[in-house]
Amino acid sequence: MDPSLLLSEEEELLAENEHALIAYYVAELRRRGVGLSEATAWADYRALSFQTLMTSVVSIGLGTMTDMDEVLRVLLGRSVAAIRRTNFAAWLAQM
């Protein structure tokens, strides 16, 4: 699964649509003969929210090496929103 969906839109828009998008993704995989449950796909998606957060934090840490400060701020905000929206902490606690 590609983590770009987590950062692709504003939080409100994703909150309204990401479960449906994940369901569509799973349905398309099944149509192509790939057996993946929606629960597993959602768990993978939640796990990726941490990856996007860490990527944002590292990128900001290297901030003096880039001219993309505003882009990095937006990505960090979206990463934090994804952690909250997917309830990453609850998923992690189950591990």
Side-chain angles (χ1 to χ4, degrees):
M1 182 170 290
D2 185 340
S4 60
L5 176 61
L6 285 158
L7 306 177
S8 65
E9 295 293 336
E10 296 295 329
E11 180 178 9
E12 297 81 20
L13 184 60
L14 276 175
E16 292 173 15
N17 297 294
E18 67 192 339
H19 280 282
L21 290 168
I22 297 297
Y24 177 77
Y25 172 75
V26 169
E28 286 299 305
L29 286 176
R30 285 186 186 143
R31 194 170 66 84
R32 291 169 172 79
V34 178
L36 178 69
S37 72
E38 282 188 42
T40 299
W42 184 252
D44 290 349
Y45 184 73
R46 287 170 109 180
L48 287 172
S49 67
F50 185 74
Q51 176 191 351
T52 62
L53 178 63
M54 290 300 97
T55 301
S56 297
V57 168
V58 169
S59 297
I60 287 172
L62 299 172
T64 58
M65 302 171 78
T66 180
D67 61 351
M68 298 178 56
D69 289 347
E70 185 57 33
V71 171
L72 293 175
R73 276 192 212 78
V74 169
L75 291 178
L76 178 61
R78 289 182 179 183
S79 294
V80 169
I83 290 279
R84 287 187 200 129
R85 195 177 57 251
T86 63
N87 200 6
F88 178 82
W91 177 79
L92 188 60
Q94 295 173 359
M95 301 310 270

